[in-house]
Every structure is written in structure tokens, then in C-alpha cells.
């Protein structure tokens, strides 16, 4: 009788985990430390970004003595974000499943981090004064039943998408400042001396308020000498339109000198490499999960490291001609205005340069007047209709579609017609059966919506029925 072999999958996975850990120590040269692996320092086993300023590694000796107009060359760009797909169920605990490292790579040192979170769990988080940011206002409503971690927060370099040492940590209840503050200062303090720090965060307009007061609650080694650093905060370009108007000129990358064409969305790009493993890591114990994510982040950083030369060259080849074209367009535009508006151009240039030199000067990009938008007009018309309905006993002509809704939906239908017409012209005669079928389905659906709109139109404008 053949004996059924025992299942050694659990032991095999433990071997894989230990092998990955030992390979990480070997790659970082920790095996040659006289004290052994126990002598490994926090953040020592990371793959550092070669293009970010690393004092003592890739900067000239006199980098900190450059004139102010050259400081942007050695600026550090960091981006902050949270990922709520990387949850972890309440499986096991640190006493049973500890991490094989103690903050040696990308995850922050767990004991100090959790102790700080526990001591400041009652820290009050102010409500948003901008739009209704869920990350700010709904931190206490995140579903935590059955979860030990609702996600992870992280800090990476905003220019090259590489995670920083000691910059990743578990979130216990949403994207709270108490978590994100610790991760941010842990990442930046590991980086060494810097003179210019550019911070990208989708809720920067709220998070930066009282940041330095909150820093005082952190352990002293994590404190940042912000009085000696030029700190600037931004909202990523994709997230910025969701903010109020004031934020859109105050936290825009587009208006600040020395930040190039940074979009600030680096964390969103980087999550794409980790999200596929979320279903696996969700069921792991705390230590196994941290070690696994450390290994995956290290792999991602290494791939970006070896591909950076090709990536930067490709971007330079695209950027230089576009920069030249942009400059030529600007010079041509200014030349066309110089004859009639020369004085105003000179005044505008002085205001911009003064603000770039000193951010306390009036921001010339601030919008001085309220612009009229289609949305604001729709809101006002809806309010007017509500007032009229409250003052009248006459039932509405249509229970769901008011006159203002009829007009706005008609404008939307016109826009959809134009888009469909453009897509048909672009496809031409070379479309496949599948592409033509999709266009025909769009056309059929649009025709039905137009017919339905026309039926309502006759209620408000009966004369159109005879046209």
C-alpha cells in the first residue's frame, strides 16, 4: 500500500520566506557585519533611488553651498498616499508571527510605530475645510470588522516612484493623520540633510495645517528642522480639480518654479505592482505579510533602478523638443502683446518673479473674480425652481424633468452627438465589425434618448410638435 505523503506546504512557504529574507541581507552586504544580521540598521536593506538627492552618496561636496537659484537641483520630492486594497484580516498576531526584520527595509519599525499610534489614538482630526475629502472626514467610518489593518500608508519619491526606507506602515482605521505623520517623518528623517522639500499629497491642503505642531508629539529622532528647509506642498494634478478654487492655484505644480512637469501621482502608479497580491497578503499573519510586501517593494525598486537610464533618456528625448516649442510659443505670444500691453506684461513678470522669490508675496495666479460655470448656472436655476414650486399650488408639468433639467440634458445630448460624429469620422472605412457594432449601438442608444427628450420637450413647448 502506497503511503500518502504528508502536506509540507506550510514548511515550504516558511523556507521561501526565510530565503527571501537572507537574500535581502546578502544583497545589502549585512553578512559582512561583525555583529551579524543583528547589527542591521533601520532602512539599511532598501534599494535607494539613484536620481534623488542622497547626501554623501550622489551629491557634490559643496551641494549645500549653491546659490538660491540652483537649490532646485537638489530638492527632494516625496509623495504620500494610502492604499485600502492592501487590507489584512485579523489572522494571527505579532507574538506568534513576528517579522524577520525590524524596520530594516521599507516597512517602518513596528514596535515603535504601534506604540506611538496607541498612545495617540485619541488625537482629534479636524474636519476638512476644502471639499468633502473622505480621507479626512470619514476616517472613523472605515469598516474595520474582522480586519487587523484597513490598508497601508506609504511615502515614495514623487519623481521616480521608488518607495523610501521606513516609509510603509499599516493603517488601523482609515487614513488618519497620526499614521501618515509618523510614516512621513520616518521616511524623511532617514533621508539625511536636505534644503528643499517638495511634498505631494492629495489632501495636502488639510494635512499641512498644524503639521509642525503635530510633529512635536513624535519621538525626538523623527523631528525635522523645518525652519532650515524650504518646504512646499502640492496636490497631485489628477486630484487637484476636485478641490475648491483656492486650492487649485495655491497647491498646483504648474505655477511653482523648480518642480518641472511633476504630476505628483507617483504612489498611484506604484500601487499597480502591489494590488495584484492583495488577495494573498490579506490572509497572512502580520510578520509574514510585512516581509512579503517588503520583498515585493524591493523587487519593484530594483526594476526601476536598472531601468532608470532608459526611462530618463526617453523622457529627455520627448521633453527637450516640447520645451523648445513651448518657449517659442511663449516668446511669440509675448511679442504679439508687447506693442499694446508692454507695460502690463512687465508688471505681470515682476509680480510672478517676486512671488517665486518670496511665497509670502501676493500670488499672481490667484483668481480674483468668480467665474460663471455651467454647473453654477444649473444650481441657481434649480434653486429658483424650488422657490417657485414652494410658492405655487399648480402641479409641475413633469414630475422628474424641470425646464432647467430639460435644457441641460439637451446640451449634453448635443455634446454626445458631436463626440459620436467625431468617432465615426476618425474610424472611417477601416473599422472592424466589432468597432462598427459598438458605434452603431451608441448611435441607437443616443437616438432613443433624443426621442425621449423630444417627447418631454413637447410638454413645455407644444409648438415644436408641428415643426
Amino acid at each position: 500500500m502506497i503511503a500518502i505523503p504528508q502536506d509540507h506546504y506550510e514548511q515550504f512557504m516558511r523556507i521561501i520566506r526565510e530565503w527571501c529574507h537572507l537574500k535581502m541581507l546578502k544583497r545589502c552586504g549585512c553578512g559582512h557585519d561583525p555583529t551579524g544580521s543583528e547589527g542591521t540598521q533601520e532602512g539599511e536593506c532598501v534599494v535607494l533611488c539613484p536620481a534623488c538627492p542622497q547626501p554623501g552618496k550622489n551629491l557634490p561636496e559643496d551641494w549645500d553651498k549653491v546659490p538660491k537659484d540652483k537649490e532646485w537641483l537638489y530638492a527632494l520630492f516625496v509623495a504620500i498616499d494610502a492604499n485600502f486594497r492592501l487590507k489584512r484580516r485579523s489572522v494571527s498576531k505579532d507574538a506568534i508571527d513576528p517579522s524577520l526584520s525590524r524596520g530594516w527595509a521599507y516597512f517602518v519599525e513596528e514596535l515603535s510605530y504601534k506604540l506611538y499610534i496607541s498612545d495617540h489614538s485619541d488625537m482629534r482630526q479636524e474636519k476638512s475645510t476644502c471639499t468633502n475629502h473622505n480621507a479626512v472626514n470619514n476616517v472613523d467610518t472605515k469598516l474595520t470588522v474582522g480586519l487587523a489593518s484597513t490598508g497601508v500608508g506609504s511615502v515614495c519619491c514623487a519623481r521616480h516612484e521608488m518607495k523610501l526606507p521606513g516609509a510603509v506602515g499599516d493603517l488601523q482605521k482609515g487614513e488618519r493623520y497620526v499614521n501618515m505623520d509618523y510614516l512621513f517623518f520616518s521616511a524623511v528623517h532617514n533621508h539625511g540633510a536636505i534644503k528643499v522639500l517638495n511634498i505631494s499629497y492629495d489632501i495636502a491642503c488639510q494635512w499641512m495645517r498644524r503639521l509642525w505642531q503635530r510633529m512635536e508629539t513624535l519621538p525626538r529622532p523623527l523631528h525635522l528642522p523645518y525652519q532650515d528647509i524650504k518646504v512646499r506642498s502640492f496636490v497631485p494634478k489628477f486630484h487637484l480639480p476636485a478641490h475648491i478654487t483656492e486650492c487649485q492655484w495655491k497647491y498646483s505644480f504648474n505655477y511653482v518654479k523648480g518642480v518641472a512637469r511633476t504630476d505628483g501621482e507617483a504612489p498611484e502608479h506604484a500601487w499597480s505592482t502591489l494590488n495584484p497580491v492583495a488577495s494573498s497578503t490579506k490572509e497572512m499573519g502580520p510578520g509574514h505579510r510585512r516581509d512579503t510586501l517588503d520583498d515585493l517593494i524591493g523587487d519593484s525598486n530594483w526594476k526601476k533602478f536598472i531601468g532608470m537610464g532608459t526611462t530618463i533618456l526617453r523622457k529627455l528625448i520627448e521633453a527637450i523638443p516640447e520645451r523648445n516649442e513651448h518657449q517659442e510659443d511663449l516668446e511669440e505670444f509675448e511679442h504679439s502683446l508687447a506693442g499694446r500691453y508692454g507695460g502690463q506684461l512687465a508688471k505681470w513678470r515682476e509680480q510672478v518673479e517676486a512671488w517665486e522669490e518670496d511665497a509670502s508675496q501676493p500670488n499672481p495666479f490667484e483668481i480674483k473674480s468668480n467665474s460663471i460655470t455651467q454647473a453654477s448656472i444649473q444650481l441657481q436655476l434649480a434653486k429658483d425652481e424650488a422657490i417657485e414650486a414652494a410658492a405655487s399650488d399648480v402641479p409641475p408639468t413633469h414630475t422628474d424633468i424641470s425646464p432647467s433639467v430639460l435644457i441641460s440634458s439637451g446640451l449634453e445630448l448635443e455634446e454626445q452627438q458631436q463626440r459620436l460624429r467625431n468617432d465615426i469620422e476618425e474610424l472611417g472605412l477601416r473599422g472592424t465589425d466589432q468597432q462598427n457594432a459598438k458605434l452603431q449601438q451608441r448611435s441607437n442608444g443616443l437616438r432613443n434618448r433624443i426621442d425621449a427628450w423630444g417627447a418631454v420637450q413637447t410638454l413645455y413647448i407644444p409648438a415644436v410638435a408641428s415643426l
Side-chain angles (χ1 to χ4, degrees):
M1 183 176 180
I2 300 176
I4 300 176
Q6 294 183 354
D7 184 358
H8 296 293
Y9 181 76
E10 184 177 345
Q11 293 85 343
F12 176 73
M13 293 304 295
R14 187 176 296 117
I15 291 172
I16 292 296
R17 179 180 170 189
E18 293 175 356
W19 180 81
C20 291
H21 177 71
L22 292 174
K23 290 290 286 186
M24 178 185 72
L25 292 173
K26 178 182 177 181
R27 289 165 182 150
C28 297
C30 296
H32 301 290
D33 193 310
T35 61
S37 62
E38 292 299 316
T40 306
Q41 301 299 310
E42 291 183 19
E44 190 175 349
C45 296
V46 302
V47 179
L48 293 173
C49 177
C52 284
Q54 310 284 352
K57 294 183 175 70
N58 62 356
L59 299 183
E61 293 183 0
D62 59 346
W63 72 271
D64 56 343
K65 299 180 178 61
V66 297
K68 291 190 67 174
D69 63 336
K70 296 295 183 181
E71 287 181 344
W72 61 271
L73 286 169
Y74 308 114
L76 175 64
F77 290 74
V78 298
I80 309 170
D81 195 27
N83 185 335
F84 296 107
R85 294 189 64 180
L86 293 172
K87 301 177 176 68
R88 189 182 75 81
R89 297 190 186 279
S90 295
V91 179
S92 190
K93 53 187 177 180
D94 283 301
I96 299 175
D97 181 31
S99 174
L100 297 179
S101 69
R102 295 181 293 277
W104 296 346
Y106 305 94
F107 262 83
V108 69
E109 198 280 309
E110 193 71 11
L111 181 61
S112 301
Y113 175 57
K114 285 188 173 178
L115 182 62
Y116 173 78
I117 300 300
S118 176
D119 291 343
H120 297 84
S121 59
D122 58 348
M123 184 180 291
R124 178 174 172 269
Q125 183 153 319
E126 298 177 359
K127 295 296 182 181
S128 172
T129 58
C130 183
T131 49
N132 187 24
H133 294 299
N134 291 335
V136 179
N137 293 340
N138 297 340
V139 292
D140 295 325
T141 61
K142 286 288 182 184
L143 182 63
T144 59
V145 178
L147 297 177
S149 171
T150 59
V152 298
S154 78
V155 184
C156 67
C157 63
R159 297 283 292 172
H160 316 101
E161 305 174 8
M162 295 180 70
K163 290 286 190 290
L164 303 183
V168 183
D170 285 324
L171 304 177
Q172 292 74 35
K173 198 172 184 179
E175 198 170 344
R176 296 185 298 172
Y177 291 167
V178 66
N179 295 88
M180 307 310 290
D181 290 348
Y182 194 101
L183 298 177
F184 166 73
F185 286 105
S186 171
V188 174
H189 108 278
N190 278 327
H191 208 82
I194 48 176
K195 294 190 70 175
V196 180
L197 176 61
N198 297 317
I199 307 169
S200 173
Y201 194 10
D202 53 10
I203 54 171
C205 58
Q206 305 301 306
W207 179 73
M208 287 297 297
R209 298 165 58 202
R210 298 183 176 84
L211 174 63
W212 309 120
Q213 292 93 317
R214 299 198 303 273
M215 182 186 72
E216 297 299 324
T217 68
L218 289 161
R220 181 63 58 178
L222 298 185
H223 287 199
L224 188 69
Y226 64 94
Q227 299 93 338
D228 304 325
I229 301 173
K230 185 177 182 180
V231 180
R232 299 183 294 190
S233 56
F234 304 88
V235 173
K237 290 184 177 180
F238 178 79
H239 291 79
L240 189 58
H243 287 244
I244 61 176
T245 303
E246 181 182 354
C247 293
Q248 294 185 29
W249 54 260
K250 187 180 289 186
Y251 295 97
S252 174
F253 277 100
N254 293 331
Y255 300 147
V256 177
K257 188 176 182 179
V259 300
R261 301 302 298 163
T262 307
D263 62 14
E265 299 288 356
E268 304 293 344
H269 308 156
W271 292 133
S272 64
T273 61
L274 294 180
N275 285 339
V277 303
S279 58
S280 298
T281 58
K282 180 172 61 177
E283 305 293 341
M284 294 179 178
H288 190 188
R289 174 173 169 273
R290 289 195 295 271
D291 291 343
T292 300
L293 291 176
D294 264 342
D295 186 54
L296 292 169
I297 294 171
D299 176 69
S300 175
N301 272 18
W302 173 247
K303 289 175 179 176
K304 288 184 172 66
F305 183 100
I306 60 177
M308 191 163 291
T310 303
T311 302
I312 292 179
L313 176 61
R314 174 176 54 80
K315 291 182 177 181
L316 279 174
I317 292 174
E318 294 176 359
I320 292 176
E322 291 180 358
R323 177 261 183 192
N324 294 338
E325 182 180 352
H326 181 79
Q327 184 173 359
E328 291 172 2
D329 291 343
L330 176 62
E331 291 173 353
E332 182 179 348
F333 180 64
E334 289 186 341
H335 180 72
S336 67
L337 297 176
R340 188 172 180 180
Y341 302 102
Q344 289 176 285
L345 280 174
K347 182 180 179 181
W348 169 255
R349 186 177 291 106
E350 289 176 4
Q351 291 175 340
V352 172
E353 291 176 352
W355 176 72
E356 289 177 344
E357 184 68 22
D358 181 6
S360 64
Q361 296 293 319
N363 188 332
F365 299 103
E366 178 181 354
I367 299 175
K368 303 295 184 182
S369 60
N370 294 326
S371 58
I372 299 176
T373 64
Q374 182 176 337
S376 64
I377 294 175
Q378 289 174 343
L379 176 61
Q380 186 59 50
L381 289 174
K383 290 180 178 178
D384 293 342
E385 289 170 350
I387 295 172
E388 292 177 5
S392 174
D393 296 330
V394 179
T397 304
H398 195 286
T399 56
D400 297 324
I401 302 177
S402 65
S404 65
V405 173
L406 179 70
I407 294 172
S408 61
S409 59
L411 294 173
E412 291 175 1
L413 288 172
E414 280 191 341
E415 184 178 348
Q416 292 174 21
Q417 280 182 304
Q418 185 60 49
R419 284 204 299 266
L420 178 61
R421 188 179 297 114
N422 292 340
D423 291 344
I424 291 174
E425 291 177 356
E426 183 178 351
L427 186 61
L429 300 176
R430 64 181 183 276
T432 63
D433 289 344
Q434 184 178 12
Q435 291 172 324
N436 290 325
K438 288 183 177 180
L439 287 177
Q440 187 61 52
Q441 290 167 0
R442 282 175 58 189
S443 178
N444 295 344
L446 183 57
R447 168 52 59 189
N448 293 335
R449 290 193 293 274
I450 292 173
D451 290 341
W453 183 87
V456 179
Q457 183 189 28
T458 58
L459 296 176
Y460 291 101
I461 316 174
V464 300
S466 61
L467 298 178

